[in-house]
């Protein structure tokens, strides 16, 4: 509609300009006519520039919407639903599994039909909700009330666990959202998605605290390969989630809808908007959203309420065996968790729990820089004993050799990126965005400009917004 308005306006100006040239008013002198023509020319150029900008914005919007959708159209939240914890050989992993098996959660109730009651008057609930001053503007109704009661009164054991985990993870989340100038309340999405379990895996394959599906994870720069799954990295995954929320808000301009898109994909939200006659507020599209997503934002408000007023309900955080202070190291060689644990005397469970993205206990640092997180009190020892750590049982824990141009660890190839020039599987494609260049794309996918041009039959370095490029094989 906006484009059509611009085109009509531009056409009228072109027509007016033509009339001035073809049939000038005899009462105006030549200078006046030239000034009028110059004014019309500037107006036409301004309209042309605005139309070009609009077209560019539309192309960028389409690219963002494609990234937002991904596999999230079929995603199911794991937070208070059924989920699995693949690596259960750590104390924290066992803690998650044992607590999950005996904890009442959202899966115990049909939230579409249940109506909870509480001794807290509606007037008090409404006042407390208003005093939270949340960026999510939701009216107080039976749906929101139900979730407020659910989180604050119906599952005290689950809330104790999450309050305990929040002491460790919430500061990490807040730092990420501040970096992108986003509302800090978005941190509560991790509660709905996974109950803050970095190893959570949903029935459809979404993984990590922020429950990224595979292709959506790749779109947002998270690596998934034979040794590393960055969806389970608490810091990298929240950074990707923050960028997803930023993009979703750019598309919908409404936080409840942006949060809904995180759960069910932008495609389902757009369908709901169309079915609601183009209305773009959450409660107008509520009944047209997928069933689970309908309760997603109210559930988030319920969790926020329970966290804010935990003391009023006697909710206390459970102790969690995670160190408060952690140091980060950049690793450039292959390193096994057992080398770290046995040389420094750090419990193997602690190393695993702080580095859940390395699910084989191997840090494949030989091919790309990797990150290792250790308790702060082991920092000096790790720095002083690095040589001994790398040598310790290296011949037993690693079998390194060159195979098809790639190093292997324990007989398995070490993939360095999500797409590889040496890959033999399916092509990975990338859609060109505003500001992209072949050099920038090549750096992102760890290939060369020459390879990009060869794979895509490009005769020059010129690329266009929206163009799909082969960037390697998986």
């Amino acid at each position: 509609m906006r484009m059509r308005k611009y085109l009509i306006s531009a056409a009228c100006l072109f027509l007016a300009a033509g009339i001035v040239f073809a049939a000038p008013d005899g009462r105006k002198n030549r200078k006046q006519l030239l000034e009028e023509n110059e004014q019309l020319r500037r107006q036409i150029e301004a309209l042309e520039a605005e139309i070009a900008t609009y077209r560019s914005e539309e192309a960028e919007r389409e690219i963002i919407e494609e990234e937002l959708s991904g596999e999230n159209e079929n995603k199911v939240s794991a937070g208070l639903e059924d989920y699995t914890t693949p690596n259960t050989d750590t104390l924290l992993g066992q803690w998650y599994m044992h607590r999950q098996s005996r904890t009442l959660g959202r899966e115990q109730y049909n939230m579409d039909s249940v109506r909870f009651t509480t001794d807290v008057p509606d007037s008090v609930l409404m006042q407390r909700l208003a005093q939270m001053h949340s960026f999510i503007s939701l009216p107080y109704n039976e749906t929101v009330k139900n979730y407020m009661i659910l989180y604050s009164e119906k599952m005290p054991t689950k809330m104790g666990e999450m309050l305990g985990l929040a002491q460790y993870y919430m500061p990490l989340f807040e730092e990420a959202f501040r970096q992108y100038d986003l509302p800090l309340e978005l941190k509560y999405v991790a509660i709905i998605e996974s109950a803050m379990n970095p190893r959570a895996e949903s029935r459809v394959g979404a993984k990590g605290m922020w429950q990224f599906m595979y292709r959506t994870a790749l779109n947002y720069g998270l690596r998934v390969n034979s040794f590393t799954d960055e969806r389970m990295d608490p810091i990298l995954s929240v950074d990707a989630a923050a960028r997803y929320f930023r993009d979703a808000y750019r598309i919908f301009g409404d936080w409840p809808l942006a949060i809904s898109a995180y759960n069910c994909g932008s495609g389902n939200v757009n369908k709901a908007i169309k079915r609601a006659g183009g209305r773009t507020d959450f409660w107008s599209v509520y009944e047209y959203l997928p069933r689970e997503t309908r309760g997603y934002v109210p559930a988030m408000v319920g969790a926020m309420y329970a966290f804010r007023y935990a003391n009023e309900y006697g909710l206390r955080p459970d102790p969690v065996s995670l160190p408060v202070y952690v140091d980060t190291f950049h690793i450039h060689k292959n390193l096994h968790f057992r080398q770290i644990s046995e040389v420094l005397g750090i419990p193997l469970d602690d190393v695993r729990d702080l580095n859940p993205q390395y699910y084989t206990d191997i840090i494949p640092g030989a091919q790309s820089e990797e990150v290792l997180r250790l308790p702060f009190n082991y920092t000096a020892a790790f720095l002083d004993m690095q040589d001994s750590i790398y040598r310790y049982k290296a011949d037993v824990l690693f079998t390194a050799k060159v195979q098809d141009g790639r190093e292997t660890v324990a007989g398995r190839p070490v993939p360095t990126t999500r797409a590889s020039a040496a890959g033999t599987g399916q092509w990975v494609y990338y859609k060109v965005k505003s500001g992209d260049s072949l050099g920038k794309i090549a750096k992102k996918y760890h290939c060369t400009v020459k390879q990009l041009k060869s794979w895509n039959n490009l005769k020059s370095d010129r690329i266009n917004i929206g163009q799909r490029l082969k960037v390697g094989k998986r």
Side-chain angles (χ1 to χ4, degrees):
M1 195 70 185
R2 184 179 167 193
M3 173 66 82
R4 184 179 179 185
K5 181 184 72 175
Y6 286 144
L7 291 175
I8 292 174
S9 300
C12 290
L13 285 173
F14 276 116
L15 181 60
I19 292 173
V20 170
F21 281 116
D25 188 339
R27 291 173 296 177
K28 295 181 180 179
N29 59 39
R30 179 179 178 82
K31 181 179 179 181
Q32 290 173 320
L33 290 175
L34 290 174
E35 288 176 352
E36 286 184 5
N37 289 340
E38 179 62 21
Q39 183 179 2
L40 287 170
R41 185 184 64 78
R42 287 196 297 267
Q43 290 175 343
I44 291 168
E45 288 179 351
L47 279 169
E48 288 176 336
E50 195 166 353
I51 290 170
T53 299
Y54 177 76
R55 285 173 175 163
S56 176
E57 289 174 352
E58 283 296 294
E60 187 172 357
R61 178 189 174 95
E62 289 177 2
I63 293 170
I64 292 174
E65 285 190 339
E66 180 176 306
E67 289 187 345
L68 288 176
S69 294
E71 295 169 302
N72 277 13
E73 305 296 336
N74 303 311
K75 190 179 88 172
V76 176
S77 301
L80 299 178
E81 308 285 343
D82 297 329
Y83 65 80
T84 60
T85 304
N87 185 352
T88 59
D89 53 357
T90 73
L91 292 177
L92 188 60
Q94 293 171 11
W95 184 87
Y96 277 116
M97 289 296 290
H98 294 164
R99 294 299 182 97
Q100 177 67 16
S101 64
R102 62 180 175 82
T103 301
L104 282 178
R106 198 171 88 198
E107 74 278 5
Q108 301 294 321
Y109 304 101
N110 181 352
M111 295 302 290
D112 285 338
S113 60
V114 69
R115 288 294 177 266
F116 294 126
T117 59
T118 178
D119 293 334
V120 182
D122 278 8
S123 59
V124 174
L125 293 175
M126 292 173 66
Q127 182 182 17
R128 288 176 177 175
L129 191 61
Q131 288 175 345
M132 288 167 58
H133 302 298
S134 169
F135 68 94
I136 301 177
S137 178
L138 283 180
Y140 180 80
N141 57 31
E142 284 300 316
T143 301
V144 174
K145 176 182 176 180
N146 257 2
Y147 281 101
M148 291 168 68
I149 299 172
L150 170 68
Y151 279 87
S152 59
E153 299 184 22
K154 299 299 180 182
M155 45 188 212
T157 305
K158 172 70 78 175
M159 279 300 302
E161 298 165 18
M162 293 191 293
L163 286 167
L165 290 168
Q167 295 177 333
Y168 179 78
Y169 288 121
M170 287 302 187
L172 302 178
F173 299 164
E174 290 175 359
E175 183 178 356
F177 292 128
R178 281 196 183 96
Q179 179 182 349
Y180 292 97
D181 196 25
L182 298 175
L184 299 187
E185 290 89 342
L186 290 170
K187 64 188 179 183
Y188 291 101
V189 171
I191 293 173
I192 312 305
E193 287 287 344
S194 68
M196 289 180 289
N197 181 355
R199 295 188 180 92
E201 182 174 351
S202 77
R203 296 184 293 272
V204 294
K207 289 186 179 182
M209 285 188 182
W210 297 91
Q211 287 292 282
F212 275 99
M213 295 292 283
Y214 176 74
R215 294 192 183 280
T216 307
L218 298 189
N219 285 341
Y220 281 85
L222 297 177
R223 291 180 303 153
V224 181
N225 57 46
S226 299
F227 292 90
T228 307
D229 191 337
E230 291 180 342
R231 292 178 292 179
M232 295 188 285
D233 184 311
I235 294 177
L236 294 179
S237 63
V238 70
D239 183 85
R243 287 181 281 118
Y244 189 109
F245 285 125
R246 180 189 61 185
D247 289 345
Y249 187 74
R250 288 174 62 187
I251 294 297
F252 297 108
D254 176 84
W255 280 116
L257 290 184
I259 294 167
S260 298
Y262 190 89
N263 177 247
C264 68
S266 62
N268 282 323
V269 174
N270 279 326
K271 290 175 187 175
I273 291 173
K274 290 178 182 177
R275 290 168 183 165
R279 290 172 292 177
T280 56
D281 63 282
F282 179 78
W283 288 107
S284 293
V285 306
Y286 176 82
E287 62 181 303
Y288 302 104
L289 291 168
R291 185 185 66 82
E292 183 200 359
T293 306
R294 288 199 298 269
Y296 192 75
V297 174
M300 180 178 166
V301 175
M304 291 168 57
Y305 171 80
F307 266 70
R308 173 72 177 274
Y309 297 102
N311 288 336
E312 280 78 352
Y313 291 93
L315 299 172
R316 298 289 182 268
D318 289 350
V320 179
S321 59
L322 283 169
V324 176
Y325 300 106
V326 175
D327 214 341
T328 300
F329 304 91
H330 296 278
I331 305 301
H332 299 89
K333 300 178 182 179
N334 296 331
L335 186 61
H336 199 286
F337 285 175
R338 285 181 56 190
Q339 291 176 300
I340 302 168
S341 173
E342 294 177 19
V343 173
L344 297 182
I346 306 177
L348 184 59
D349 291 348
D350 291 355
V351 182
R352 288 171 174 164
D353 289 337
L354 289 175
N355 302 275
Q357 67 272 31
Y358 305 118
Y359 53 88
T360 64
D361 285 357
I362 295 172
I363 304 175
Q367 293 295 320
S368 61
E369 182 179 88
E370 302 290 344
V371 169
L372 167 68
R373 300 183 184 99
L374 295 177
F376 183 78
N377 53 307
Y378 287 96
T379 296
F382 180 82
L383 293 175
D384 291 341
M385 302 178 67
Q386 281 190 74
D387 291 341
S388 299
I389 293 171
Y390 283 115
R391 287 196 302 266
Y392 179 77
K393 291 187 178 180
D395 55 339
V396 176
L397 297 173
F398 299 110
T399 303
K401 61 183 179 180
V402 176
Q403 177 180 335
D404 296 330
R406 293 176 291 168
E407 183 169 345
T408 65
V409 177
R412 301 171 67 183
V414 180
T416 59
T417 65
R418 67 191 187 202
S420 169
T424 59
Q426 295 181 337
W427 281 106
V428 174
Y429 287 87
Y430 174 78
K431 200 167 186 179
V432 177
K433 302 176 185 177
S434 176
D436 276 340
S437 66
L438 286 181
K440 183 177 179 181
I441 297 170
K443 183 177 180 181
K444 179 177 182 179
Y445 287 91
H446 297 270
C447 59
T448 66
V449 171
K450 184 177 180 180
Q451 285 174 321
L452 285 178
K453 292 172 73 171
S454 173
W455 294 335
N456 296 280
N457 297 318
L458 299 177
K459 304 301 182 184
S460 69
D461 292 345
R462 182 177 178 180
I463 51 178
N464 301 311
I465 294 176
Q467 183 177 355
R468 288 172 60 85
L469 297 177
K470 296 176 182 177
V471 293
K473 287 186 177 181
R474 185 177 294 113

